[in-house]
Amino acid sequence: MTNKKGLISLAFGGLAIGMTEFTMMGILPDIASDVGLDIPTASNLIGLYALGVVVGAPTLVAATSKYSAKRVLAVLMFVFFLFNGLFTIAPNTWTLFTARFISGLPHGAFFGIGSVVAAQLARPGKEAQAISIMFTGMTIANLAGVPLGTYIGHHYSWRLTYGVVSLLGLITAASIYFWMPPTPPNKGQNVIQQMSYFKTRKAWLLIAIISIGTGGLFAWISYISKLVTNVSGLHPDKVSLIMILVGCGMFFGNLIGGKIADTFSPTKAAIAAFGAMSFCLTVLFFISPYQASAYPMAFITGMIAFTIGSPLQLMLIRSAKGAETFAASAGQAAFNVGNSLGAYFGAIPIALGYAYNYPLIIGVVMAFIGSMLSILYLQLYKKNPKGPDLESNTGNSPDGFISTEGLNSNTQAETALRV
């Protein structure tokens, strides 16, 4: 049976990481004012965190590949606790920037390792839904944690907000220690052999799918405040409500995406999700000038956009027998690349003088490319008996359930994880 406490401990991590990443956007002016920085300089705190994610994902997975997954996850969240705590009390700019960068290092490794563990904690055929439970923590962060953290930062102190974030990291580390079943150390792991996964065509095709396709989401959400105020005509006070609706949509979309991936296949779910995102952004482009559309479309777009997370993670895991954690953590780095690409290309029509609904066209194109690349991936690998994503999810085929290499070294350990 599925180990629910273990999955809940991973969801705590998603909540903590979601808050530390996304609350920054709402309280950046408060931080800048408090420490005496201008906004452009303070915005480096966002970029430094993203850089930490990209750097930490492969390096920390490589450095910890021989250790127990449970131990690694607990240590990663303890590092998260320490450096978010240091960020909270940072006495000067140098310490502030350094702590922010290091606090981003555990992000990709945690979700990479956590995705593989979550799949192993699930019953066969329920792996994507288990992964979606881990990501539920991040959707709850967007739904409630980020608005609450922003409110605290505005009305009390941004340091109090990040003190709460740091405490969540400690709670996560403790819950992993007490709730997650034991996993054996992986002494037989060969890091060089695992990293050879990145020499394969399928690895870089998946990275391209994530980096380009998820850019559609970020081309929309990066400019959502200006979209609903300048184009839809909402009062700025309504932006927080819009973001709550987006977060609520993400919460349900995340769970729906896991269910679809387990019912059909991760790749088919990804194709459908990217296609639906492209269609939804097209509709939003045309109806965004109508004020009444802003509220339902915030929920619907958030829901559709976030169906993609669990299918993509499971595609990565199934594509990398023996190197699952490397693949899953690389996916987190690719998500951050998608964040940057969506925001960058979405800014181009704005710089050319077009209205704030025109970044949606960029999002349509990026999501459509993600769908087309996913179709290519399916066609290349679906008939290969050793391929990454067979259409059977019964657990009876070679790829019906993920390889336990990379976390477990024997059948006894696999059984322990599934109890």
Side-chain angles (χ1 to χ4, degrees):
M1 61 181 291
T2 301
N3 188 296
K4 294 182 179 179
K5 283 188 175 181
L7 293 177
I8 291 172
S9 68
L10 294 174
F12 278 142
L15 172 61
I17 289 173
M19 282 193 67
T20 197
E21 181 175 18
F22 296 114
T23 304
M24 178 61 65
M25 285 72 165
I27 63 174
L28 189 66
D30 302 280
I31 297 175
S33 175
D34 183 57
V35 299
L37 298 174
D38 56 37
I39 294 297
T41 302
S43 66
N44 288 322
L45 293 169
I46 297 173
L48 282 169
Y49 183 88
L51 179 62
V53 177
V54 174
V55 171
T59 55
L60 290 181
V61 169
T64 61
S65 63
K66 295 184 181 295
Y67 299 98
S68 158
K70 174 180 177 177
R71 178 182 176 185
V72 172
L73 289 168
V75 169
L76 287 173
M77 290 314 297
F78 192 75
V79 171
F80 177 95
F81 155 71
L82 287 178
F83 284 93
N84 274 283
L86 180 60
F87 181 78
T88 300
I89 62 173
N92 53 55
T93 302
W94 184 89
T95 308
L96 195 76
F97 282 14
T98 301
R100 183 62 177 168
F101 169 75
I102 298 176
S103 69
L105 294 176
H107 178 134
F110 180 86
F111 279 129
I113 298 170
S115 296
V116 179
V117 172
Q120 292 177 327
L121 290 172
R123 298 194 307 273
K126 303 292 184 182
E127 296 88 1
Q129 292 174 70
I131 293 172
S132 73
I133 291 174
M134 179 182 68
F135 283 111
T136 295
M138 182 166 279
T139 62
I140 292 174
N142 282 286
L143 176 61
V146 171
L148 178 61
T150 301
Y151 179 86
I152 293 172
H154 281 330
H155 294 87
Y156 298 97
S157 170
W158 69 268
R159 295 183 187 271
L160 180 57
T161 296
Y162 274 89
V164 172
V165 170
S166 178
L167 181 60
L168 283 173
L170 183 61
I171 291 171
T172 303
S175 66
I176 290 171
Y177 180 81
F178 289 109
W179 288 353
M180 186 170 287
T183 59
N186 300 303
K187 296 181 179 179
Q189 293 282 18
N190 185 319
V191 174
I192 301 300
Q193 185 177 3
Q194 291 180 79
M195 292 187 69
S196 65
Y197 167 73
F198 295 106
K199 295 180 180 179
T200 65
R201 178 176 59 179
K202 63 187 175 186
W204 290 102
L205 179 54
L206 281 168
I207 289 171
I209 289 170
I210 297 170
S211 300
I212 299 172
T214 61
L217 160 64
F218 294 106
W220 161 64
I221 204 167
S222 297
Y223 305 99
I224 189 170
S225 177
K226 292 292 187 180
L227 174 68
V228 299
T229 55
N230 290 23
V231 180
S232 301
L234 296 184
H235 191 276
D237 289 346
K238 302 297 183 182
V239 173
S240 58
L241 176 57
I242 290 292
M243 295 310 297
I244 290 172
L245 289 170
V246 170
C248 190
M250 288 179 173
F251 176 84
F252 288 105
N254 174 55
L255 298 177
I256 292 169
K259 179 65 175 178
I260 293 173
D262 283 334
T263 302
F264 300 99
S265 82
T267 306
K268 288 181 178 179
I271 293 168
F274 280 132
M277 189 191 307
S278 184
F279 176 77
C280 183
L281 293 176
T282 301
V283 172
L284 182 59
F285 173 80
F286 287 107
I287 69 173
S288 57
Y290 301 97
Q291 192 172 108
S293 71
Y295 299 104
M297 288 306 294
F299 175 84
I300 293 170
T301 311
M303 180 177 66
I304 291 175
F306 232 67
T307 58
I308 196 64
S310 300
L312 289 176
Q313 283 297 103
L314 197 53
M315 285 171 67
L316 286 160
I317 291 169
R318 289 184 174 177
S319 74
K321 185 176 181 180
E324 293 90 348
T325 52
F326 276 88
S329 61
Q332 290 302 307
F335 274 114
N336 276 268
V337 173
N339 188 338
S340 300
L341 290 178
Y344 175 80
F345 288 116
I348 292 175
I350 297 171
L352 293 174
Y354 291 93
Y356 277 93
N357 57 337
Y358 276 83
L360 297 172
I361 298 299
I362 302 297
V364 169
V365 173
M366 297 185 81
F368 179 76
I369 293 173
S371 183
M372 293 299 100
L373 290 176
S374 298
I375 291 173
L376 174 63
Y377 183 84
L378 179 64
Q379 293 303 313
L380 286 174
Y381 298 112
K382 71 175 181 178
K383 294 181 180 180
N384 181 356
K386 295 182 180 180
D389 186 25
L390 297 182
E391 295 311 299
S392 169
N393 283 324
T394 62
N396 296 323
S397 67
D399 291 283
F401 184 66
I402 63 169
S403 163
T404 54
E405 290 183 52
L407 281 182
N408 299 324
S409 58
N410 53 49
T411 305
Q412 180 181 0
E414 180 183 345
T415 303
L417 276 171
R418 291 183 180 172
V419 172

